[in-house]
Amino acid sequence: MSQPMCVVSSSSHSISCLFLPKFFIILALTLTRDSKDTLVVTQCGAEAIAFLKIYGVLPAATAFIALYSHLSNILSKKTLFYVSCVPFFVFFGLFDLFIYPNTDYLHPSLETVQALIPGGAKSGAMAVLASIASHWTSALFYIMAEIYSSVSVGLLFWQFANDVVSVEQAKRFYPLFAQMSGLAPVLAGQYVVRYASRAGDFG
């Protein structure tokens, strides 16, 4: 049976090394969960969600799990945690700072996409596909957010925490993890309210 890769001490530095990842993981989870449906519904229509779940999220999640399983055989658990989390954070940061503010330049017009599809894609599944293609950045954000929400806490964080925290320390630290993660949605809510109101002022 493998031993934990390290044991958490009671020092504030060691505690923060665990609490901060949990806090930021939940913060990103709350922000993306609150944003993904809004983006897709307002830009592509509610019918696009079912389309994205079947043809976008399911294949992408399958690919992620396959890649994660492969990397778990060749990377240490600590490295695997960072390799799995960092790409999500990088994408969400790029989306907030660069992609979303420049969607007018990145998105083709709906008419342009429809012209590329035989029959014009005026109705049915092809119309949904055309709408998604004309707002591809929001569709990509939805897929990434769905995968992140599925694996961030249950798979990535708790696997990392179970290796860091010994069995004897679990009773002391795990309730504190829950309290720390409860603060993240509060901050996320304030962030959403602030920037939603600013977006309304500029809209």
Short mmCIF file of all heavy atoms in Angstrom, two decimals, residues 54-110:
data_model
loop_
_atom_site.label_atom_id
_atom_site.label_comp_id
_atom_site.label_asym_id
_atom_site.label_seq_id
_atom_site.Cartn_x
_atom_site.Cartn_y
_atom_site.Cartn_z
N ILE A 54 -24.46 16.22 -25.61
CA ILE A 54 -24.31 14.94 -26.30
C ILE A 54 -23.09 14.93 -27.21
O ILE A 54 -22.27 14.00 -27.17
CB ILE A 54 -25.58 14.61 -27.10
CG1 ILE A 54 -26.77 14.44 -26.15
CG2 ILE A 54 -25.38 13.34 -27.93
CD1 ILE A 54 -28.10 14.26 -26.85
N TYR A 55 -22.96 15.97 -28.02
CA TYR A 55 -21.92 15.97 -29.05
C TYR A 55 -20.66 16.74 -28.66
O TYR A 55 -19.68 16.70 -29.40
CB TYR A 55 -22.49 16.55 -30.34
CG TYR A 55 -23.64 15.76 -30.88
CD1 TYR A 55 -24.95 16.24 -30.78
CD2 TYR A 55 -23.44 14.52 -31.49
CE1 TYR A 55 -26.02 15.51 -31.27
CE2 TYR A 55 -24.51 13.79 -31.98
CZ TYR A 55 -25.79 14.28 -31.86
OH TYR A 55 -26.85 13.56 -32.34
N GLY A 56 -20.71 17.43 -27.52
CA GLY A 56 -19.54 18.18 -27.08
C GLY A 56 -18.98 17.68 -25.77
O GLY A 56 -17.83 17.25 -25.68
N VAL A 57 -19.81 17.70 -24.72
CA VAL A 57 -19.35 17.35 -23.38
C VAL A 57 -19.01 15.87 -23.27
O VAL A 57 -17.96 15.50 -22.72
CB VAL A 57 -20.41 17.73 -22.33
CG1 VAL A 57 -19.97 17.27 -20.94
CG2 VAL A 57 -20.66 19.22 -22.34
N LEU A 58 -19.87 15.00 -23.79
CA LEU A 58 -19.65 13.56 -23.65
C LEU A 58 -18.34 13.10 -24.30
O LEU A 58 -17.52 12.43 -23.64
CB LEU A 58 -20.84 12.79 -24.22
CG LEU A 58 -20.77 11.26 -24.11
CD1 LEU A 58 -20.65 10.84 -22.64
CD2 LEU A 58 -22.01 10.63 -24.74
N PRO A 59 -18.07 13.45 -25.56
CA PRO A 59 -16.77 13.05 -26.14
C PRO A 59 -15.58 13.69 -25.43
O PRO A 59 -14.55 13.05 -25.23
CB PRO A 59 -16.87 13.52 -27.59
CG PRO A 59 -18.32 13.70 -27.86
CD PRO A 59 -18.93 14.11 -26.55
N ALA A 60 -15.72 14.97 -25.06
CA ALA A 60 -14.61 15.66 -24.40
C ALA A 60 -14.33 15.06 -23.03
O ALA A 60 -13.16 14.90 -22.65
CB ALA A 60 -14.92 17.15 -24.29
N ALA A 61 -15.37 14.73 -22.27
CA ALA A 61 -15.18 14.13 -20.95
C ALA A 61 -14.56 12.75 -21.07
O ALA A 61 -13.70 12.37 -20.27
CB ALA A 61 -16.52 14.04 -20.23
N THR A 62 -14.98 11.99 -22.08
CA THR A 62 -14.39 10.67 -22.31
C THR A 62 -12.91 10.78 -22.63
O THR A 62 -12.08 10.03 -22.10
CB THR A 62 -15.12 9.94 -23.45
OG1 THR A 62 -16.52 9.84 -23.13
CG2 THR A 62 -14.55 8.55 -23.66
N ALA A 63 -12.56 11.75 -23.46
CA ALA A 63 -11.16 11.97 -23.81
C ALA A 63 -10.35 12.41 -22.60
O ALA A 63 -9.20 11.98 -22.40
CB ALA A 63 -11.05 13.01 -24.93
N PHE A 64 -10.94 13.27 -21.75
CA PHE A 64 -10.24 13.73 -20.55
C PHE A 64 -9.95 12.57 -19.61
O PHE A 64 -8.83 12.45 -19.09
CB PHE A 64 -11.06 14.80 -19.84
CG PHE A 64 -10.45 15.26 -18.53
CD1 PHE A 64 -9.51 16.27 -18.52
CD2 PHE A 64 -10.82 14.67 -17.33
CE1 PHE A 64 -8.94 16.70 -17.34
CE2 PHE A 64 -10.24 15.08 -16.13
CZ PHE A 64 -9.30 16.09 -16.13
N ILE A 65 -10.95 11.72 -19.37
CA ILE A 65 -10.75 10.60 -18.45
C ILE A 65 -9.71 9.63 -19.00
O ILE A 65 -8.87 9.11 -18.25
CB ILE A 65 -12.08 9.87 -18.20
CG1 ILE A 65 -13.05 10.80 -17.45
CG2 ILE A 65 -11.86 8.60 -17.41
CD1 ILE A 65 -12.55 11.28 -16.10
N ALA A 66 -9.73 9.39 -20.31
CA ALA A 66 -8.73 8.52 -20.91
C ALA A 66 -7.34 9.09 -20.75
O ALA A 66 -6.38 8.37 -20.41
CB ALA A 66 -9.07 8.29 -22.38
N LEU A 67 -7.19 10.40 -21.00
CA LEU A 67 -5.90 11.04 -20.85
C LEU A 67 -5.46 11.06 -19.40
O LEU A 67 -4.28 10.82 -19.09
CB LEU A 67 -5.96 12.47 -21.40
CG LEU A 67 -4.67 13.30 -21.31
CD1 LEU A 67 -3.56 12.63 -22.10
CD2 LEU A 67 -4.91 14.72 -21.81
N TYR A 68 -6.39 11.34 -18.49
CA TYR A 68 -6.08 11.36 -17.06
C TYR A 68 -5.61 9.98 -16.59
O TYR A 68 -4.64 9.87 -15.83
CB TYR A 68 -7.31 11.79 -16.27
CG TYR A 68 -7.09 11.91 -14.78
CD1 TYR A 68 -6.62 13.11 -14.24
CD2 TYR A 68 -7.36 10.85 -13.92
CE1 TYR A 68 -6.41 13.23 -12.87
CE2 TYR A 68 -7.15 10.96 -12.56
CZ TYR A 68 -6.68 12.15 -12.04
OH TYR A 68 -6.47 12.27 -10.69
N SER A 69 -6.27 8.93 -17.05
CA SER A 69 -5.88 7.57 -16.67
C SER A 69 -4.49 7.24 -17.18
O SER A 69 -3.69 6.60 -16.49
CB SER A 69 -6.90 6.57 -17.21
OG SER A 69 -8.18 6.81 -16.67
N HIS A 70 -4.20 7.70 -18.40
CA HIS A 70 -2.87 7.45 -18.97
C HIS A 70 -1.80 8.21 -18.19
O HIS A 70 -0.74 7.64 -17.85
CB HIS A 70 -2.85 7.86 -20.44
CG HIS A 70 -1.50 7.77 -21.08
ND1 HIS A 70 -0.88 6.56 -21.33
CD2 HIS A 70 -0.64 8.74 -21.50
CE1 HIS A 70 0.30 6.78 -21.89
NE2 HIS A 70 0.47 8.10 -22.00
N LEU A 71 -2.05 9.49 -17.88
CA LEU A 71 -1.06 10.28 -17.17
C LEU A 71 -0.86 9.80 -15.74
O LEU A 71 0.23 9.96 -15.17
CB LEU A 71 -1.49 11.75 -17.16
CG LEU A 71 -1.48 12.47 -18.51
CD1 LEU A 71 -2.00 13.90 -18.36
CD2 LEU A 71 -0.08 12.48 -19.11
N SER A 72 -1.89 9.21 -15.14
CA SER A 72 -1.76 8.72 -13.77
C SER A 72 -0.76 7.58 -13.65
O SER A 72 -0.26 7.30 -12.56
CB SER A 72 -3.14 8.26 -13.24
OG SER A 72 -3.60 7.13 -13.97
N ASN A 73 -0.47 6.94 -14.78
CA ASN A 73 0.49 5.84 -14.77
C ASN A 73 1.94 6.31 -14.95
O ASN A 73 2.87 5.53 -14.71
CB ASN A 73 0.16 4.84 -15.87
CG ASN A 73 -1.17 4.14 -15.64
OD1 ASN A 73 -1.53 3.83 -14.52
ND2 ASN A 73 -1.90 3.91 -16.72
N ILE A 74 2.11 7.56 -15.37
CA ILE A 74 3.46 8.03 -15.67
C ILE A 74 3.87 9.26 -14.87
O ILE A 74 5.04 9.61 -14.85
CB ILE A 74 3.62 8.33 -17.18
CG1 ILE A 74 2.62 9.41 -17.62
CG2 ILE A 74 3.44 7.07 -18.01
CD1 ILE A 74 2.76 9.79 -19.09
N LEU A 75 2.92 9.92 -14.19
CA LEU A 75 3.23 11.11 -13.41
C LEU A 75 3.01 10.85 -11.93
O LEU A 75 2.18 10.00 -11.56
CB LEU A 75 2.36 12.30 -13.85
CG LEU A 75 2.51 12.78 -15.30
CD1 LEU A 75 1.52 13.91 -15.55
CD2 LEU A 75 3.93 13.24 -15.59
N SER A 76 3.71 11.59 -11.11
CA SER A 76 3.43 11.53 -9.68
C SER A 76 2.07 12.15 -9.40
O SER A 76 1.55 12.92 -10.22
CB SER A 76 4.52 12.28 -8.90
OG SER A 76 4.45 13.68 -9.18
N LYS A 77 1.50 11.85 -8.26
CA LYS A 77 0.15 12.33 -7.97
C LYS A 77 0.11 13.85 -7.82
O LYS A 77 -0.86 14.49 -8.22
CB LYS A 77 -0.37 11.66 -6.70
CG LYS A 77 -0.63 10.17 -6.90
CD LYS A 77 -1.17 9.51 -5.64
CE LYS A 77 -1.46 8.04 -5.89
NZ LYS A 77 -1.97 7.35 -4.67
N LYS A 78 1.17 14.42 -7.27
CA LYS A 78 1.21 15.87 -7.15
C LYS A 78 1.30 16.53 -8.52
O LYS A 78 0.58 17.49 -8.81
CB LYS A 78 2.42 16.28 -6.30
CG LYS A 78 2.52 17.78 -6.07
CD LYS A 78 3.71 18.11 -5.17
CE LYS A 78 3.81 19.60 -4.92
NZ LYS A 78 4.97 19.94 -4.04
N THR A 79 2.17 16.00 -9.38
CA THR A 79 2.30 16.54 -10.73
C THR A 79 1.01 16.35 -11.51
O THR A 79 0.58 17.25 -12.26
CB THR A 79 3.46 15.87 -11.46
OG1 THR A 79 4.67 16.05 -10.70
CG2 THR A 79 3.65 16.46 -12.85
N LEU A 80 0.38 15.20 -11.34
CA LEU A 80 -0.87 14.93 -12.04
C LEU A 80 -1.95 15.92 -11.64
O LEU A 80 -2.73 16.38 -12.49
CB LEU A 80 -1.34 13.51 -11.72
CG LEU A 80 -2.65 13.05 -12.36
CD1 LEU A 80 -2.54 13.04 -13.87
CD2 LEU A 80 -3.05 11.67 -11.83
N PHE A 81 -1.99 16.30 -10.38
CA PHE A 81 -2.97 17.27 -9.90
C PHE A 81 -2.80 18.61 -10.62
O PHE A 81 -3.76 19.19 -11.13
CB PHE A 81 -2.83 17.45 -8.39
CG PHE A 81 -3.67 18.56 -7.82
CD1 PHE A 81 -5.03 18.38 -7.61
CD2 PHE A 81 -3.10 19.78 -7.49
CE1 PHE A 81 -5.81 19.40 -7.09
CE2 PHE A 81 -3.87 20.80 -6.97
CZ PHE A 81 -5.22 20.62 -6.77
N TYR A 82 -1.55 19.09 -10.67
CA TYR A 82 -1.31 20.39 -11.31
C TYR A 82 -1.50 20.32 -12.82
O TYR A 82 -2.04 21.25 -13.43
CB TYR A 82 0.10 20.88 -10.97
CG TYR A 82 0.26 21.29 -9.52
CD1 TYR A 82 1.11 20.60 -8.67
CD2 TYR A 82 -0.46 22.36 -9.01
CE1 TYR A 82 1.24 20.98 -7.34
CE2 TYR A 82 -0.35 22.75 -7.69
CZ TYR A 82 0.52 22.04 -6.85
OH TYR A 82 0.63 22.42 -5.54
N VAL A 83 -1.06 19.24 -13.43
CA VAL A 83 -1.22 19.09 -14.88
C VAL A 83 -2.69 19.05 -15.26
O VAL A 83 -3.09 19.51 -16.33
CB VAL A 83 -0.48 17.83 -15.37
CG1 VAL A 83 -0.87 17.48 -16.79
CG2 VAL A 83 1.02 18.02 -15.27
N SER A 84 -3.53 18.51 -14.38
CA SER A 84 -4.96 18.41 -14.66
C SER A 84 -5.69 19.71 -14.40
O SER A 84 -6.65 20.05 -15.12
CB SER A 84 -5.59 17.28 -13.82
OG SER A 84 -4.97 16.05 -14.07
N CYS A 85 -5.27 20.47 -13.38
CA CYS A 85 -5.98 21.69 -12.99
C CYS A 85 -5.56 22.91 -13.80
O CYS A 85 -6.40 23.72 -14.20
CB CYS A 85 -5.77 21.98 -11.50
SG CYS A 85 -6.72 20.94 -10.40
N VAL A 86 -4.26 23.06 -13.99
CA VAL A 86 -3.74 24.29 -14.59
C VAL A 86 -4.34 24.60 -15.96
O VAL A 86 -4.69 25.76 -16.24
CB VAL A 86 -2.20 24.24 -14.66
CG1 VAL A 86 -1.65 25.37 -15.52
CG2 VAL A 86 -1.61 24.34 -13.25
N PRO A 87 -4.50 23.61 -16.87
CA PRO A 87 -5.10 23.96 -18.17
C PRO A 87 -6.49 24.57 -18.07
O PRO A 87 -6.83 25.46 -18.85
CB PRO A 87 -5.14 22.60 -18.90
CG PRO A 87 -4.03 21.82 -18.30
CD PRO A 87 -4.01 22.22 -16.86
N PHE A 88 -7.29 24.12 -17.09
CA PHE A 88 -8.61 24.71 -16.90
C PHE A 88 -8.48 26.17 -16.47
O PHE A 88 -9.17 27.05 -17.01
CB PHE A 88 -9.40 23.93 -15.86
CG PHE A 88 -9.90 22.60 -16.33
CD1 PHE A 88 -9.30 21.43 -15.92
CD2 PHE A 88 -10.98 22.51 -17.20
CE1 PHE A 88 -9.76 20.20 -16.34
CE2 PHE A 88 -11.46 21.28 -17.64
CZ PHE A 88 -10.84 20.11 -17.20
N PHE A 89 -7.62 26.43 -15.50
CA PHE A 89 -7.46 27.79 -15.00
C PHE A 89 -6.91 28.71 -16.09
O PHE A 89 -7.31 29.88 -16.19
CB PHE A 89 -6.55 27.81 -13.78
CG PHE A 89 -7.13 27.14 -12.57
CD1 PHE A 89 -6.33 26.41 -11.70
CD2 PHE A 89 -8.49 27.23 -12.30
CE1 PHE A 89 -6.88 25.80 -10.59
CE2 PHE A 89 -9.04 26.62 -11.19
CZ PHE A 89 -8.24 25.90 -10.33
N VAL A 90 -5.98 28.20 -16.89
CA VAL A 90 -5.43 29.01 -17.98
C VAL A 90 -6.51 29.35 -18.98
O VAL A 90 -6.64 30.50 -19.43
CB VAL A 90 -4.26 28.26 -18.66
CG1 VAL A 90 -3.85 28.97 -19.94
CG2 VAL A 90 -3.07 28.14 -17.71
N PHE A 91 -7.33 28.36 -19.34
CA PHE A 91 -8.40 28.62 -20.31
C PHE A 91 -9.40 29.63 -19.77
O PHE A 91 -9.78 30.57 -20.48
CB PHE A 91 -9.12 27.32 -20.68
CG PHE A 91 -10.35 27.55 -21.51
CD1 PHE A 91 -10.24 27.80 -22.87
CD2 PHE A 91 -11.61 27.54 -20.94
CE1 PHE A 91 -11.37 28.03 -23.64
CE2 PHE A 91 -12.74 27.76 -21.70
CZ PHE A 91 -12.62 28.01 -23.05
N PHE A 92 -9.85 29.46 -18.52
CA PHE A 92 -10.83 30.38 -17.95
C PHE A 92 -10.26 31.79 -17.85
O PHE A 92 -10.98 32.77 -18.05
CB PHE A 92 -11.30 29.89 -16.58
CG PHE A 92 -12.08 28.60 -16.62
CD1 PHE A 92 -11.90 27.63 -15.65
CD2 PHE A 92 -12.98 28.35 -17.65
CE1 PHE A 92 -12.61 26.44 -15.69
CE2 PHE A 92 -13.70 27.17 -17.70
CZ PHE A 92 -13.51 26.22 -16.71
N GLY A 93 -8.97 31.89 -17.52
CA GLY A 93 -8.34 33.21 -17.47
C GLY A 93 -8.27 33.86 -18.84
O GLY A 93 -8.57 35.04 -18.99
N LEU A 94 -7.87 33.08 -19.84
CA LEU A 94 -7.81 33.61 -21.21
C LEU A 94 -9.19 33.98 -21.72
O LEU A 94 -9.36 34.99 -22.42
CB LEU A 94 -7.18 32.57 -22.14
CG LEU A 94 -5.68 32.33 -21.96
CD1 LEU A 94 -5.22 31.19 -22.87
CD2 LEU A 94 -4.88 33.59 -22.24
N PHE A 95 -10.19 33.19 -21.36
CA PHE A 95 -11.55 33.49 -21.81
C PHE A 95 -12.02 34.82 -21.23
O PHE A 95 -12.64 35.62 -21.93
CB PHE A 95 -12.49 32.36 -21.39
CG PHE A 95 -13.89 32.51 -21.94
CD1 PHE A 95 -14.21 32.00 -23.19
CD2 PHE A 95 -14.87 33.17 -21.22
CE1 PHE A 95 -15.49 32.15 -23.70
CE2 PHE A 95 -16.15 33.32 -21.72
CZ PHE A 95 -16.46 32.80 -22.97
N ASP A 96 -11.73 35.04 -19.95
CA ASP A 96 -12.18 36.26 -19.29
C ASP A 96 -11.43 37.49 -19.80
O ASP A 96 -12.02 38.55 -20.01
CB ASP A 96 -11.98 36.12 -17.78
CG ASP A 96 -12.47 37.34 -17.02
OD1 ASP A 96 -13.62 37.75 -17.23
OD2 ASP A 96 -11.69 37.89 -16.22
N LEU A 97 -10.13 37.33 -20.03
CA LEU A 97 -9.31 38.49 -20.36
C LEU A 97 -9.25 38.81 -21.86
O LEU A 97 -9.18 39.98 -22.24
CB LEU A 97 -7.88 38.28 -19.84
CG LEU A 97 -7.73 38.19 -18.32
CD1 LEU A 97 -6.29 37.85 -17.96
CD2 LEU A 97 -8.16 39.49 -17.65
N PHE A 98 -9.27 37.77 -22.69
CA PHE A 98 -9.02 38.00 -24.11
C PHE A 98 -10.13 37.48 -25.04
O PHE A 98 -10.54 38.18 -25.97
CB PHE A 98 -7.69 37.34 -24.52
CG PHE A 98 -6.51 37.86 -23.76
CD1 PHE A 98 -5.91 37.11 -22.77
CD2 PHE A 98 -5.99 39.12 -24.02
CE1 PHE A 98 -4.83 37.58 -22.06
CE2 PHE A 98 -4.90 39.61 -23.32
CZ PHE A 98 -4.32 38.83 -22.34
N ILE A 99 -10.61 36.27 -24.77
CA ILE A 99 -11.54 35.66 -25.72
C ILE A 99 -12.90 36.36 -25.70
O ILE A 99 -13.39 36.83 -26.73
CB ILE A 99 -11.70 34.15 -25.45
CG1 ILE A 99 -10.35 33.44 -25.63
CG2 ILE A 99 -12.75 33.55 -26.39
CD1 ILE A 99 -10.40 31.96 -25.30
N TYR A 100 -13.52 36.43 -24.52
CA TYR A 100 -14.86 37.01 -24.44
C TYR A 100 -14.90 38.48 -24.85
O TYR A 100 -15.82 38.90 -25.56
CB TYR A 100 -15.43 36.83 -23.03
CG TYR A 100 -16.86 37.29 -22.92
CD1 TYR A 100 -17.89 36.54 -23.47
CD2 TYR A 100 -17.17 38.48 -22.26
CE1 TYR A 100 -19.21 36.96 -23.37
CE2 TYR A 100 -18.48 38.90 -22.17
CZ TYR A 100 -19.49 38.15 -22.72
OH TYR A 100 -20.79 38.57 -22.63
N PRO A 101 -13.92 39.31 -24.45
CA PRO A 101 -13.96 40.71 -24.90
C PRO A 101 -13.80 40.88 -26.41
O PRO A 101 -14.12 41.95 -26.94
CB PRO A 101 -12.78 41.35 -24.15
CG PRO A 101 -12.55 40.48 -22.96
CD PRO A 101 -12.86 39.10 -23.44
N ASN A 102 -13.31 39.86 -27.11
CA ASN A 102 -13.06 39.98 -28.55
C ASN A 102 -13.95 39.05 -29.37
O ASN A 102 -13.60 38.69 -30.50
CB ASN A 102 -11.59 39.67 -28.85
CG ASN A 102 -10.66 40.70 -28.24
OD1 ASN A 102 -10.61 41.84 -28.67
ND2 ASN A 102 -9.91 40.29 -27.22
N THR A 103 -15.10 38.68 -28.83
CA THR A 103 -15.98 37.77 -29.55
C THR A 103 -16.50 38.37 -30.86
O THR A 103 -16.80 37.64 -31.81
CB THR A 103 -17.17 37.37 -28.67
OG1 THR A 103 -17.81 38.55 -28.15
CG2 THR A 103 -16.73 36.49 -27.52
N ASP A 104 -16.62 39.68 -30.93
CA ASP A 104 -17.08 40.30 -32.17
C ASP A 104 -16.13 40.02 -33.33
O ASP A 104 -16.55 39.95 -34.49
CB ASP A 104 -17.22 41.81 -31.99
CG ASP A 104 -18.38 42.18 -31.08
OD1 ASP A 104 -19.27 41.32 -30.89
OD2 ASP A 104 -18.39 43.30 -30.54
N TYR A 105 -14.86 39.85 -33.00
CA TYR A 105 -13.87 39.56 -34.04
C TYR A 105 -13.70 38.05 -34.26
O TYR A 105 -13.34 37.62 -35.36
CB TYR A 105 -12.52 40.17 -33.65
CG TYR A 105 -12.58 41.65 -33.40
CD1 TYR A 105 -12.60 42.15 -32.10
CD2 TYR A 105 -12.62 42.56 -34.45
CE1 TYR A 105 -12.66 43.51 -31.85
CE2 TYR A 105 -12.68 43.93 -34.21
CZ TYR A 105 -12.70 44.39 -32.90
OH TYR A 105 -12.77 45.74 -32.67
N LEU A 106 -13.96 37.26 -33.22
CA LEU A 106 -13.73 35.82 -33.30
C LEU A 106 -14.92 35.06 -33.85
O LEU A 106 -14.75 33.99 -34.44
CB LEU A 106 -13.38 35.27 -31.91
CG LEU A 106 -12.08 35.78 -31.28
CD1 LEU A 106 -11.95 35.29 -29.85
CD2 LEU A 106 -10.88 35.33 -32.11
N HIS A 107 -16.12 35.59 -33.66
CA HIS A 107 -17.32 34.88 -34.09
C HIS A 107 -17.69 35.22 -35.53
O HIS A 107 -17.83 36.40 -35.87
CB HIS A 107 -18.52 35.23 -33.20
CG HIS A 107 -18.43 34.64 -31.84
ND1 HIS A 107 -19.33 34.95 -30.83
CD2 HIS A 107 -17.58 33.75 -31.30
CE1 HIS A 107 -19.01 34.29 -29.75
NE2 HIS A 107 -17.96 33.54 -30.00
N PRO A 108 -17.87 34.21 -36.36
CA PRO A 108 -18.43 34.48 -37.70
C PRO A 108 -19.91 34.80 -37.57
O PRO A 108 -20.56 34.43 -36.58
CB PRO A 108 -18.21 33.17 -38.45
CG PRO A 108 -18.22 32.13 -37.38
CD PRO A 108 -17.60 32.77 -36.16
N SER A 109 -20.46 35.50 -38.52
CA SER A 109 -21.89 35.81 -38.47
C SER A 109 -22.70 34.55 -38.73
O SER A 109 -22.23 33.59 -39.37
CB SER A 109 -22.24 36.87 -39.52
OG SER A 109 -22.06 36.35 -40.83
N LEU A 110 -23.92 34.54 -38.21
CA LEU A 110 -24.80 33.39 -38.41
C LEU A 110 -25.08 33.18 -39.89
O LEU A 110 -25.14 32.03 -40.36
CB LEU A 110 -26.11 33.60 -37.64
CG LEU A 110 -27.14 32.47 -37.75
CD1 LEU A 110 -26.59 31.15 -37.22
CD2 LEU A 110 -28.42 32.86 -36.99
#
